[in-house]
Amino acid sequence: MNNLGSRERNLFIIFGIFLLCVILYVGPIRLLNNSTADLKVEREALQAQKDYYDALAEQNEATRAEIENIEADIAVIEGTFLPNINTECLAQWVLNVFEENNCKWLVKINTEDAAAPDIVLPDGSLAEDNVIIKSVMVEYSTSDGWNVSSYGGDDGIRENTLYDENGIPQEAVFDSYMTDRTYAGMNSREGYTEFLAALQQIEQQDEDCIKVSRIAVEEESGYILMYATIDFYSATFVDRVSEPDTNAPYVTWSGATDIATDHGFIGMPFFVDDPGSEWFGVIMPSDEATDRTRPFAAYYSVQTWANLVNNSDVATALGLDSMDGLIGPAAGGEAENPDDTTPDDVDPALTDEN
C-alpha cells in the first residue's frame, strides 16, 4: 500500500468509508427497521384486542343493568307470596278479622295443607321448589231472632240473679225474663252480612297471596250455618313473571246485574215477615223449629224455646198471635210452602212469579 499514490490512497479510504456505511445500514439499521415494523403490527393487534375488551365491557354494563331490572321484577313477584307459613298465626288473624266484623258465633275452625300443582321447567323436568298452600276453614252461625244469644260469657242474665246462694235456679226470675221474649223478625238474625264483610276484608288484605276459595251457607231451623275456606299462598320459588289478565270473563263478572233480589232471603226464618216476599206469612213447622242445636244461643234459651213450641206452636212461641193486623198463615196455623198459604188480602202483584 506504500506503493500507492496519495490519490489512490484517498480513493481507497473513501471506498472503505462507503463500504462501512453500507455494512452499517444493512446490519443494525436494517434490523431496527424490521423491528419497528413488527412493533407496528403488534400495536395494531393490541389495539384490536383493546377495542374488543372495551366493547365487551360495554356489553357487560348493559347485561348488568338488565340483571338488576330482572332482579327487581323477581323481588316484586316474591312479594306476592307469604314469606313463610305459620299456621297458628294465620288462624289467629282470620278469627280476629271475623271478630272485628262482629261475627260472634264460631262453630268450628280447621286448617289443612292444600295440594299445589308441580312446577314443570322448560326442559320438561320438575322444579325442586314448590308452591305452599295452607287453607283455613271456618264455620259460623247466625242468630234466629228469638233465642237469647250468648257471647263472651254474656247470656243476658247474671248468674247471681238466675241462681240463689245455694246454686239453685230461681225459676221465678228465669220465667219472668223469658216471658218478655218476642220475635224480632227475620231480618234481625245477626251474622250473615257480618260474615260476608269479614270475607271481603280478608281477601282485600292481600289479593295476591290470600284467596277465599269457598263460601257456603246451610239452612237450619230458623238460623243459618255459614262456611268459608281461605287459602294462603307461600312459595320457595319464583314462578309467575307477568301481570295477570283481570279482564278475562272468569275474573270480572260479565253477567246480568239487574236482577231484583231485594225481597229474597237465604235460609228459612221462623216466620217470613217481609210483605214483598212470595213466602210472606209462612211459618216454620214446629218439628223443624226445634230439631237443631243452636251454637249462638244461651243454654236456657234453647230449652225454653223448645218447650214453648212443643206446648203450643211456632206462631204462639213467637208471640205472633198478639200482633196487631196479623195476616197470613200465622193467624191460623203453620204452612209448608208459599203456593197454598198466600193470604187472600195480600196484593197479587207481590205473589206473581212473573
Side-chain angles (χ1 to χ4, degrees):
M1 188 169 178
N2 294 329
N3 296 328
L4 295 175
S6 58
R7 183 177 178 184
E8 289 81 1
R9 187 181 297 112
N10 292 334
L11 289 173
F12 186 78
I13 292 171
I14 293 172
F15 178 76
I17 293 171
F18 174 76
L19 183 61
L20 180 61
C21 291
V22 170
I23 293 173
L24 290 175
Y25 175 78
V26 173
I29 296 177
R30 182 66 179 273
L31 292 175
L32 288 174
N33 288 338
N34 291 339
S35 178
T36 301
D38 293 340
L39 290 174
K40 289 181 179 180
V41 173
E42 184 178 358
R43 185 188 67 180
E44 292 175 356
L46 292 174
Q47 183 63 46
Q49 189 174 15
K50 179 180 179 299
D51 293 340
Y52 168 77
Y53 285 124
D54 289 342
L56 187 61
E58 293 179 0
Q59 185 178 356
N60 287 342
E61 288 296 328
T63 302
R64 184 177 294 106
E66 184 176 356
I67 291 175
E68 291 176 353
N69 292 334
I70 293 175
E71 289 177 344
D73 293 338
I74 292 175
V76 172
I77 296 173
E78 289 176 340
T80 63
F81 292 92
L82 292 176
N84 56 67
I85 292 292
N86 191 324
T87 303
E88 60 271 24
C89 291
L90 298 181
Q92 183 184 43
W93 180 75
V94 168
L95 295 181
N96 185 61
V97 172
F98 278 103
E99 188 169 9
E100 288 177 349
N101 284 274
N102 207 29
C103 249
K104 300 178 180 179
W105 302 294
L106 173 68
V107 178
K108 184 190 301 182
I109 181 171
N110 189 32
T111 62
E112 67 177 23
D113 294 323
D118 294 328
I119 302 174
V120 181
L121 298 177
D123 60 1
S125 62
L126 295 179
E128 296 181 357
D129 297 326
N130 299 291
V131 173
I132 303 171
I133 307 174
K134 178 69 72 172
S135 296
V136 178
M137 290 83 71
V138 294
E139 178 181 343
Y140 278 86
S141 170
T142 68
S143 61
D144 60 17
W146 189 92
N147 281 276
V148 179
S149 61
S150 177
Y151 175 71
D154 181 9
D155 58 6
I157 300 180
R158 294 178 180 272
E159 289 190 2
N160 62 357
T161 60
L162 181 58
Y163 299 94
D164 62 19
E165 62 275 7
N166 297 318
I168 299 176
Q170 301 184 72
E171 295 184 6
V173 176
F174 175 84
D175 293 341
S176 174
Y177 180 81
M178 296 306 299
T179 300
D180 294 334
R181 296 299 300 167
T182 58
Y183 185 50
M186 56 181 288
N187 292 325
S188 66
R189 297 181 299 177
E190 298 179 81
Y192 180 71
T193 57
E194 293 85 352
F195 185 77
L196 295 181
L199 291 177
Q200 186 177 28
Q201 180 179 337
I202 286 174
E203 191 161 48
Q204 289 179 348
Q205 181 70 25
D206 193 330
E207 296 181 352
D208 290 316
C209 63
I210 303 175
K211 302 291 182 181
V212 178
S213 60
R214 176 178 179 262
I215 304 175
V217 296
E218 181 178 343
E219 175 186 335
E220 296 295 338
S221 57
Y223 66 98
I224 302 171
L225 289 178
M226 303 166 293
Y227 307 86
T229 299
I230 303 103
D231 298 328
F232 295 86
Y233 289 80
S234 182
T236 59
F237 74 107
V238 176
D239 182 25
R240 200 177 88 191
V241 295
S242 61
E243 292 295 326
D245 180 10
T246 58
N247 296 319
Y250 51 82
V251 175
T252 304
W253 172 254
S254 57
T257 58
D258 57 349
I259 299 175
T261 59
D262 51 330
H263 292 293
F265 59 86
I266 298 175
M268 183 66 186
F270 287 139
F271 170 64
V272 181
D273 55 359
D274 180 0
S277 172
E278 294 187 12
W279 290 79
F280 175 63
V282 172
I283 298 178
M284 182 177 294
S286 296
D287 56 346
E288 293 184 12
T290 59
D291 69 347
R292 299 289 194 278
T293 58
R294 300 180 185 278
F296 60 89
Y299 71 95
Y300 58 81
S301 179
V302 174
Q303 188 59 50
T304 299
W305 168 253
N307 291 339
L308 287 173
V309 174
N310 292 333
N311 292 331
S312 54
D313 54 36
V314 176
T316 302
L318 295 177
L320 297 180
D321 289 343
S322 61
M323 287 185 177
D324 294 335
L326 177 65
I327 59 175
E334 298 172 344
E336 295 291 343
N337 58 68
D339 296 333
D340 56 2
T341 60
T342 302
D344 295 335
D345 52 352
V346 174
D347 186 348
L350 298 176
T351 60
D352 187 358
E353 295 183 357
N354 297 324

